[in-house]
Amino acid sequence: MTTPNSISAGSEISTSELISVSRAVADLRRGEMILIRSENAAIAAIATEPLSDHGLARLRAIAVNADDIALILPRVRARALGHADASSGFCALQPANPQQVEGTTFSIWANPLLDMVEAPTASWRQTDAGEDAAIRLAKLARLLPAIVSVSIDAARVEEFARAENLLMLDANIVNGYEDAAAGSLRQVSDARVPLENAENTRVVAFRPADGGQEHIAIIIDEPVADEPVLVRLHSECFTGDLIGSLRCDCGPQLRGAIAEISAGGKGGIVLYLRQEGRGIGLVNKLRAYALQDRGFDTLDANEELGFDADERVYRPAAEMLRQLGFSTVRILTNNPEKLRGLENWGVTVSERVPHKFPSNGHNAFYLKTKKDRAGHLF
């Protein structure tokens, strides 16, 4: 039996299930509790970033054992808090005196920008499937990937959902969300937008079925569908694209791609993907900048926060190209992962076209890291 606030397990994710994951993301951002079940277990979870004492009290009230509360942390942060054996993924911290821990304390423990005077007294364990799914939701919410969870009675999870008007998810649905959302993209608007270096330009917006963020196709001139089309995949960068940040090369890459495609005379496409900060979001990118100011490089800073070095996905780009009628591309990039990302979703890459710009002095270490550690081809 399912309730109006639950979604069931399945090999494919329906539109209603996509919308439910989107709701869970919104609930986490505002400090609401979510319920996740996996096989014969179930948890209740709240993201640490907006966690309040009221939310923590609600978690304890619903728990099988109020003392069995866990803070789910990235392995890097777990090591900083004294878990010497943390080797991969995420870890569960269980405080020695759980009833004495306030919501703000969990938030402080989870934040890598805050220096700890001493490590908490705690035991550690591996995470379960429900907790891993909750972390994935926190990442989708562009929050710090850390949550507080308790085990709840799996037999009563639907009762809890009805009584508290809470959302209940199956863990496997969360893991398939990004691919399914990309597969549901549909064109929602198309307009002529003359650009500074490319006056004959159309902008087409694509929206997923759950109403999430739109991805944009900037179509310059009239590219021919039966020839390899020159394409740039450009991840959104508020700081570089809009306010001229010198910490990255995103602004010059975006404007340079538009100018190069226009000058080529055969047209092409810039796909503007809503994946700020290599997929971690603007707020977390600013946190990563703060860590870089302490000496971390751009990849290690992401990992300190609990993200992969690159969280981007490329199915949205492949789906947009498919709907626009293009199956073979010449790609403007220095990043081999973009070639592999498109090819994994059925797009043929006939050529990589180099797309590099000189350092401005502020981004030299950033560019060196992309070359030496991320394999970019400068």
Side-chain angles (χ1 to χ4, degrees):
M1 175 181 179
T2 59
T3 71
N5 289 329
S6 72
I7 56 180
S8 61
S11 58
E12 296 183 358
I13 300 177
S14 67
T15 298
S16 64
E17 290 169 335
L18 284 174
I19 291 170
S20 293
V21 174
S22 293
R23 177 185 156 185
V25 166
D27 284 353
L28 283 180
R29 286 182 63 86
R30 61 190 178 87
E32 182 58 271
M33 183 193 313
I34 59 171
L35 309 179
I36 302 177
R37 62 183 175 189
S38 56
E39 296 184 358
N40 297 320
I43 66 163
I46 299 178
T48 58
E49 197 172 328
L51 179 65
S52 65
D53 287 339
H54 172 68
L56 188 58
R58 290 181 67 201
L59 276 178
R60 287 173 170 146
I62 202 174
V64 172
N65 180 352
D67 287 340
D68 190 24
I69 195 164
L71 171 62
I72 312 304
L73 293 165
R75 61 174 175 81
V76 178
R77 187 59 175 167
R79 280 205 213 99
L81 297 182
H83 185 28
D85 296 330
S87 58
S88 63
F90 287 76
C91 307
L93 177 157
Q94 295 184 292
N97 300 299
Q99 295 296 335
Q100 298 176 18
V101 180
E102 299 177 343
T104 52
T105 303
F106 280 120
S107 299
I108 290 169
W109 288 347
N111 192 338
L113 290 165
L114 300 178
D115 297 323
M116 300 296 300
V117 176
E118 61 181 276
T121 303
S123 59
W124 298 87
R125 62 168 174 80
Q126 293 183 330
T127 57
D128 64 25
E131 291 163 340
D132 292 339
I135 287 291
R136 188 70 212 141
L137 287 168
K139 286 186 175 187
L140 291 170
R142 303 302 189 246
L143 298 170
L144 282 174
I147 58 106
V148 175
S149 72
V150 294
S151 295
I152 60 176
D153 185 347
R156 298 182 61 197
V157 64
E158 293 179 3
E159 175 188 336
F160 293 144
R162 283 192 295 267
E164 300 292 333
N165 192 30
L166 296 173
L167 183 67
M168 181 174 64
L169 298 162
D170 282 319
N172 63 332
I173 298 300
V174 177
N175 295 329
Y177 168 79
E178 285 183 299
D179 282 347
S184 75
L185 284 172
R186 296 293 180 268
Q187 294 185 34
V188 291
S189 65
D190 182 343
R192 188 180 68 85
V193 183
L195 303 182
E196 183 178 7
N197 293 311
E199 293 189 16
N200 183 21
T201 296
R202 289 166 46 221
V203 174
V204 182
F206 292 78
R207 181 183 296 150
D210 64 345
Q213 288 189 321
E214 292 84 7
H215 298 285
I216 305 297
I218 303 168
I219 305 173
I220 300 166
D221 295 327
E222 301 294 335
V224 179
D226 59 1
E227 296 181 5
V229 60
L230 185 58
V231 169
R232 166 71 184 168
L233 308 188
H234 187 87
S235 298
E236 176 184 35
C237 179
F238 168 82
T239 48
D241 297 343
L242 296 184
I243 61 176
S245 169
L246 300 178
R247 295 190 73 136
C248 63
D249 56 347
C250 300
Q253 284 190 327
L254 175 61
R255 289 179 284 279
I258 291 170
E260 182 168 349
I261 291 171
S262 180
K266 292 187 175 182
I269 304 170
V270 175
L271 297 179
Y272 196 81
L273 306 173
R274 305 297 296 277
Q275 300 185 119
E276 179 90 40
R278 297 197 302 276
I280 70 175
L282 176 59
V283 171
N284 286 317
K285 183 175 81 171
L286 296 176
R287 290 171 173 147
Y289 281 169
L291 289 170
Q292 289 172 42
D293 288 340
R294 298 182 185 184
F296 294 94
D297 68 30
T298 182
L299 304 183
D300 285 339
N302 275 24
E303 291 174 353
E304 283 287 315
L305 293 170
F307 296 95
D308 292 338
D310 194 333
E311 294 270 349
R312 288 175 292 185
V313 295
Y314 294 107
R315 187 176 180 185
E319 182 61 30
M320 294 162 74
L321 287 169
R322 186 189 69 78
Q323 292 190 32
L324 292 170
F326 298 96
S327 60
T328 303
V329 303
R330 301 167 57 234
I331 183 168
L332 274 168
T333 189
N334 308 312
N335 184 359
E337 280 299 314
K338 290 185 177 180
L339 280 68
R340 289 188 283 268
L342 284 180
E343 289 174 337
N344 285 342
W345 291 106
V347 176
T348 300
V349 179
S350 66
E351 180 186 1
R352 183 188 72 84
V353 180
H355 192 58
K356 58 186 178 181
F357 296 84
S359 165
N360 58 40
H362 294 274
N363 63 9
F365 183 54
Y366 167 78
L367 295 176
K368 185 177 187 301
T369 300
K370 290 209 295 185
K371 177 183 177 182
D372 294 346
R373 297 195 58 200
H376 288 213
L377 303 172
F378 292 118

